[in-house]
């Protein structure tokens, strides 16, 4: 292919311009602006095939436009190294073929707005756009689904708050948070701000939504999505992670987490702290004689009776097998012994019935009271465990306390 010299005027043109041959299939020259738009290689030898640079579809449109014409204007999708780009190609005949100015197509404003509404309607999240005075300009279908309240016409963003937050306290809290967020969003329009609230929806149900706020110029935009199910599952998983599935008590992990908090609190208040270890006597024999279903029922009833015998604020946990532990805040040894005896009687006074089976259940209890502020929970547990071992060694069905 013969080399064609670049016309000297091309470098003087600030607009992005390419020179193509008369057939519209070969790139003859390109100025710096055109090279950037088309992402042309810096050392591209010219002339070069346009098909390799902007794709077959765009070249076919060019070839059709250059036939027997002196001028043309088309919009073509060009496949460049930087990706697909829709460009307006404005050509005029010159000595080398055609000088083609590259520009961005300017769509019809009405068609553009209709397309925007179609895109907004198809979004899987809620979208609302307001003017500078917070009057609604666009609300998509998801927004209408949740917040198009029956027999209510909302002319302003303020109209939403009373409907979404029937409780005055919740409304005041959310409204103040919203004011803070939109002030931040207005000051820094490059970032969105977020909030999560439980709101009353058009169907009368309360749901959790995550909201994102942002200003685009004078336009206030809100996107939101329903996170109710996600929060429910998170709460279930939190409960599952902290709860013993069989008895409903807190599990060993949660006992130590909460126990450490209680230990620090009693350190700060200079109060006593006691711990009880509970073991069901001859539990293996219960399982062997009556089966594991009865054994599981016994564990549940033991947990229930112990819970009822304890005070509000005491922490009861199943820490493994037939072993339970109780942390008693603000409780010295004398009161802890009284509570341990109450637990013993709660099981000894009545057999546990499971269908036709009645099981006589006894427990052994070991206890310890903190000897000094700052004693680790593990140390207290170890001393209570040793006292429990003594209770079992001394005949079971009794309470022993660590000295």
């Amino acid at each position: 292919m013969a080399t064609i010299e670049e016309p000297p005027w091309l470098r003087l043109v600030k607009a992005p311009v390419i020179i193509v041959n008369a057939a519209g299939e070969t790139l003859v020259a390109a100025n710096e602006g055109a090279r950037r738009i088309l992402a042309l290689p810096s050392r591209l030898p010219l002339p070069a095939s346009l098909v390799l640079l902007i794709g077959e579809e765009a070249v076919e449109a060019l070839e059709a436009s250059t036939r027997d014409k002196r001028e043309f204007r088309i919009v073509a999708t060009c496949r460049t190294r930087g990706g697909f780009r829709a460009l307006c190609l404005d050509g005029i005949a010159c000595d080398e073929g055609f000088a083609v100015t590259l520009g961005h197509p300017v769509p019809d404003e009405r068609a553009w707005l209709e397309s925007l509404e179609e895109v907004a309607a198809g979004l899987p999240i809620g979208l609302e756009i307001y003017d500078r005075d917070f009057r609604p300009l666009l609300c998509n279908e998801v927004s209408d689904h949740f917040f198009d309240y029956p027999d209510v016409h909302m002319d302003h963003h303020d109209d939403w708050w009373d409907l979404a937050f029937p409780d005055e306290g919740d409304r005041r809290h959310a409204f103040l948070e919203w004011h803070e967020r939109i002030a931040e969003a207005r000051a820094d329009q490059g970032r969105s701000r977020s909030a999560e609230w439980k709101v009353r929806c058009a169907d009368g149900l309360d749901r959790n939504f995550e909201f994102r706020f942002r200003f685009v110029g004078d336009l206030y935009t809100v996107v939101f999505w329903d996170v109710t199910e996600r929060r429910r599952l998170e709460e279930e998983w939190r409960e599952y992670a902290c709860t013993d599935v069989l008895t409903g008590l807190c599990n060993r992990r949660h006992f130590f987490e909460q126990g450490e908090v209680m230990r620090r609190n009693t350190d700060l208040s200079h109060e006593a702290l006691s711990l009880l270890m509970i073991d069901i006597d001859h539990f293996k024999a219960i399982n062997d004689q009556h089966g594991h279903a009865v054994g599981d029922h016994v564990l549940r009833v033991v947990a229930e009776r112990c819970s009822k015998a304890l005070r509000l604020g005491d922490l009861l946990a199943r820490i493994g097998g037939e072993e339970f532990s109780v942390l008693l805040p603000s409780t010295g040894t004398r009161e802890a012994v009284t509570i341990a005896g109450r637990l013993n009687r709660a099981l000894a006074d009545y057999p546990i019935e499971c269908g036709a089976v009645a099981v006589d259940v006894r427990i052994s209890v070991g206890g310890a009271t903190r000897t000094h502020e700052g004693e680790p929970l593990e140390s207290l547990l170890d001393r209570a465990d040793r006292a429990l071992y003594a209770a079992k060694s001394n005949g079971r069905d009794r309470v022993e306390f660590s000295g």
Side-chain angles (χ1 to χ4, degrees):
M1 186 179 294
T3 301
I4 302 176
E5 186 177 348
E6 177 183 295
W9 56 264
L10 185 59
R11 296 184 181 181
L12 303 177
V13 179
K14 293 184 178 180
V17 175
I18 61 174
I19 306 295
V20 301
N21 68 346
E25 61 185 13
T26 301
L27 177 65
V28 175
N31 67 1
E32 188 62 31
R35 285 178 175 272
R36 283 197 301 270
I37 287 180
L38 297 179
L40 299 180
S42 58
R43 296 185 179 182
L44 176 69
L46 296 175
S49 170
L50 271 174
V51 171
L52 300 176
L53 303 175
I54 62 174
E56 292 183 6
E57 181 181 341
V59 171
E60 289 175 0
L62 262 177
E63 289 176 342
S65 300
T66 57
R67 293 192 192 108
D68 305 321
K69 291 182 181 179
R70 300 289 299 172
E71 297 183 16
F72 62 84
R73 174 174 289 178
I74 61 172
V75 175
T77 300
C78 300
R79 190 181 68 239
T80 72
R81 293 170 65 213
F84 286 91
R85 302 193 66 171
L87 294 174
C88 179
L89 308 180
D90 201 343
I92 186 170
C94 62
D95 293 341
E96 295 81 4
F98 284 88
V100 182
T101 303
L102 309 180
H104 298 289
V106 181
D108 176 72
E109 183 177 356
R110 187 177 187 85
W112 182 83
L113 288 173
E114 290 175 353
S115 298
L116 175 62
E117 290 176 354
E118 290 180 6
V119 170
L123 290 175
I125 60 175
L127 169 66
E128 298 175 0
I129 302 176
Y130 296 82
D131 66 14
R132 63 185 302 169
D133 297 316
F134 295 99
R135 291 187 295 261
L137 300 175
L138 184 148
C139 297
N140 72 352
E141 291 181 3
V142 175
S143 172
D144 288 342
H145 172 74
F146 288 116
F147 301 133
D148 187 12
Y149 299 93
D151 304 321
V152 176
H153 181 70
M154 289 189 285
D155 295 319
H156 195 275
H157 190 271
D158 286 351
D159 300 331
W160 178 73
W161 293 94
D162 288 342
L163 299 165
F165 297 92
D167 180 82
E168 184 179 355
D170 292 343
R171 181 167 62 252
R172 186 186 311 111
H173 177 79
F175 193 67
L176 289 174
E177 184 180 6
W178 176 73
H179 264 291
E180 292 177 3
R181 295 293 181 270
I182 65 168
E184 294 169 357
R186 197 190 294 273
D188 181 5
Q189 296 195 6
R191 293 176 55 198
S192 62
R193 295 301 189 274
S194 63
E196 184 176 324
W197 301 315
K198 178 177 284 190
V199 301
R200 181 70 49 85
C201 297
D203 59 5
L205 299 178
D206 292 339
R207 294 183 175 88
N208 289 83
F209 288 93
E210 186 171 336
F211 294 87
R212 293 291 178 93
F213 318 113
R214 187 169 184 174
F215 281 91
V216 181
D218 285 336
L219 296 180
Y220 168 61
T221 63
V222 184
V223 295
F224 58 88
W225 49 94
D226 185 358
V227 295
T228 307
E229 182 64 13
R230 185 197 307 172
R231 296 295 176 256
R232 185 189 68 80
L233 291 174
E234 288 173 354
E235 184 60 32
E236 282 188 3
W237 277 107
R238 273 195 296 270
E239 184 176 346
Y240 180 78
C242 298
T243 305
D244 175 61
V245 177
L246 180 63
T247 63
L249 301 178
C250 71
N251 59 20
R252 183 184 183 91
R253 172 172 173 255
H254 190 56
F255 176 79
F256 278 97
E257 289 176 351
Q258 291 299 106
E260 186 59 28
V261 173
M262 295 171 73
R263 186 195 67 79
R264 288 198 299 267
N265 288 341
T266 54
D267 277 350
L268 293 172
S269 59
H270 307 291
E271 294 178 310
L273 180 68
S274 295
L275 188 146
L276 304 179
M277 288 292 294
I278 303 168
D279 187 87
I280 301 175
D281 294 336
H282 305 295
F283 183 73
K284 184 177 183 302
I286 295 174
N287 271 334
D288 292 343
Q289 183 177 353
H290 303 291
H292 288 281
V294 172
D296 288 348
H297 180 71
V298 166
L299 289 170
R300 285 191 289 266
V301 174
V302 168
E304 181 182 350
R305 291 188 185 179
C306 287
S307 296
K308 290 179 179 179
L310 292 170
R311 308 162 303 178
L312 185 66
D314 295 337
L315 181 64
L316 172 64
R318 181 187 177 204
I319 61 172
E322 66 273 22
E323 283 194 335
F324 299 81
S325 186
V326 187
L327 200 57
L328 306 171
S330 307
T331 305
T333 301
R334 181 178 297 179
E335 189 177 4
V337 170
T338 301
I339 293 171
R342 191 161 68 232
L343 292 172
N344 194 292
R345 291 192 300 275
L347 275 302
D349 287 351
Y350 304 97
I352 295 176
E353 296 182 357
C354 182
V357 177
V359 183
D360 188 26
V361 176
R362 297 289 189 272
I363 60 172
S364 296
V365 183
T369 300
R370 188 174 58 176
T371 57
H372 61 277
E373 292 178 9
E375 180 182 8
L377 188 62
E378 291 79 2
S379 171
L380 191 61
L381 184 71
D382 182 62
R383 291 197 293 115
D385 200 42
R386 289 201 300 269
L388 173 63
Y389 180 79
K392 297 180 79 68
S393 298
N394 293 331
R396 295 184 171 87
D397 188 20
R398 60 188 293 121
V399 176
E400 294 280 354
F401 252 74
S402 171

